[in-house]
Amino acid sequence: MIRFALSEGWRNFRNISIIGLLTIGSMTLTLVLIGLTVHGYVIVESWRSGLQGRFEIEAFLLPGTDSTVAMNLSDHILQMEHVSGVEFISQLDAAKRFKEEFGEDILDLLGQNPLPKSLVISLTELADPAITWEKTALDISGFDSVDEVAYDGEILAKMDKFYQSAGLIVGSGVLGMLIISITFTIMTVMGSIRAKERFIQIVSLSGGSRMMARGPFVALGGYYGLTAGLAATGIVYLVRWFLIVVWGEDVSGVTIWIPSLIALGVSIGIFVAGWTAGQRIKQI
C-alpha cells in the first residue's frame, strides 16, 4: 500500500499545477524564514553573550580605603547573587589602565596618582540587563567603603529590548508565512482530490480503507514538503556562505541543524495533506 501511495503521489506531483507551484514556493519561503530565524538567533545570541561579557560594574572606593577592607568587600560582593567575579584594582593598576587607554602616564601628567582604588564586578550571563544589573549596582553603592558605582546597564537594557522586539516581529512574519503555506497546501490537496474522486470511489467500492484512499494525497504533501525543504536548505546554506564572504570569517555559528529543514518540510506537507484528505474523503 505504501508503494502504491508513493507512486500515485509522485504521478500527481509530476502533473504539478500553478497552485502546486505556489504551495512549494510558500512552503520554501516559510522554511527559509524559519531557518534564517534560527540561524539569526544563534548568531545574535553568540554576539550578545560576547558583548555582555565585556560589560562590567565598577565600584570606586572611598579615598583612604586600605587593601584589607577592599578585599573583604570583594569577598562579600562575590557572594551576591548573579555575581561571577570581582577584581580588585589598586592605584597602581588604575594607573596602568589609564596608560593603556589614553597612552599617557598619569604621573607624567599630574605628578601624582589621584586615581581611586576600585572593584570591577562581572555578572553571569543569566543576569537580566533591565533589572538585575541595576539592582546589583544599587546594592553595591550602599556599602560603606563605596564612593561611586559606574556601569553600562542602560546600554544592556536597550540591547535586550531591541532583541526581544526584533524576535517578536520576525516570529510574527514566520507565523504568517506558515499560515499561507498551510492554506496553499490545503488548496492543492483539495484540488487534487476533486480531480481524483473517481479513484477514491473505486478504492472504497473495492473494499479499500480510507487510509489507502488518503495515501496518495499524503504522499503528494510529502513530495511538496521534501522539495521545499531541499530548496530551503540550499538557500540557508547560501546565506551562510554569503555571511562568511562579507565578514571574512565564519560568523554563522552552529549549522548542523540546517538539514532538519527537510524533515520539517516533509512533516508539514504530510500532516496538512493527511488532515485535509481525511476531512475531504469523509464527504465523498
Side-chain angles (χ1 to χ4, degrees):
M1 184 183 76
I2 295 177
R3 184 177 178 182
F4 168 75
L6 292 174
S7 62
E8 284 296 312
W10 173 248
R11 188 169 67 175
N12 289 337
F13 179 73
R14 285 187 303 173
N15 300 324
I16 193 167
S17 62
I18 294 179
I19 293 295
L21 289 173
L22 290 174
T23 300
I24 293 176
S26 62
M27 287 184 69
T28 299
L29 183 55
T30 300
L31 293 173
V32 167
L33 286 175
I34 292 174
L36 293 181
T37 299
V38 175
H39 211 39
Y41 176 82
V42 171
I43 295 174
V44 172
E45 190 62 27
S46 176
W47 286 349
R48 185 187 181 203
S49 299
L51 285 173
Q52 186 161 324
R54 298 178 185 178
F55 289 104
E56 301 164 329
I57 295 175
E58 185 162 11
F60 297 99
L61 305 180
L62 290 169
T65 302
D66 60 44
S67 298
T68 302
V69 173
M71 296 307 296
N72 290 335
L73 179 59
S74 174
D75 292 337
H76 182 70
I77 293 175
L78 194 56
Q79 302 303 315
M80 295 175 65
E81 188 178 8
H82 298 297
V83 173
S84 61
V86 180
E87 180 185 1
F88 171 62
I89 305 296
S90 65
Q91 283 187 296
L92 181 60
D93 294 328
K96 291 179 180 178
R97 292 171 67 190
F98 182 90
K99 186 173 183 179
E100 289 174 359
E101 185 172 352
F102 299 103
E104 297 283 350
D105 192 320
I106 195 166
L107 292 176
D108 294 337
L109 291 175
L110 303 179
Q112 60 177 339
N113 183 0
L115 297 175
K117 299 172 184 177
S118 66
L119 298 175
V120 176
I121 299 102
S122 302
L123 300 189
T124 65
E125 294 182 2
L126 298 178
D128 183 85
I131 300 175
T132 307
W133 278 73
E134 182 179 2
K135 182 179 183 302
T136 303
L138 185 62
D139 290 344
I140 293 173
S141 66
F143 294 137
D144 293 338
S145 302
V146 175
D147 183 26
E148 183 182 357
V149 174
Y151 77 109
D152 298 311
E154 291 184 1
I155 298 175
L156 279 172
K158 289 179 180 178
M159 286 172 53
D160 194 62
K161 186 176 180 180
F162 172 79
Y163 182 73
Q164 293 177 1
S165 300
L168 181 61
I169 293 172
V170 173
S172 300
V174 170
L175 180 61
M177 281 308 307
L178 181 61
I179 293 173
I180 291 173
S181 64
I182 288 175
T183 301
F184 277 130
T185 303
I186 291 173
M187 292 172 62
T188 302
V189 173
M190 289 186 67
S192 182
I193 289 174
R194 281 195 294 269
K196 297 289 183 178
E197 284 192 10
R198 183 66 178 165
F199 162 80
I200 296 172
Q201 291 171 352
I202 291 174
V203 171
S204 299
L205 291 174
S206 60
S209 64
R210 286 184 177 177
M211 181 62 70
M212 182 178 291
R214 187 169 57 175
F217 308 107
V218 173
L220 176 63
Y223 285 128
Y224 281 131
L226 177 63
T227 304
L230 288 170
T233 298
I235 292 172
V236 173
Y237 271 120
L238 186 63
V239 171
R240 173 181 177 272
W241 172 82
F242 178 76
L243 290 175
I244 294 175
V245 171
V246 170
W247 272 281
E249 59 180 327
D250 189 357
V251 296
S252 54
V254 180
T255 58
I256 194 173
W257 57 270
I258 294 178
S260 63
L261 292 173
I262 299 173
L264 179 60
V266 172
S267 299
I268 292 174
I270 289 177
F271 176 80
V272 176
W275 180 84
T276 305
Q279 297 299 312
R280 180 61 180 150
I281 288 171
K282 289 178 183 180
Q283 302 172 9
I284 298 177

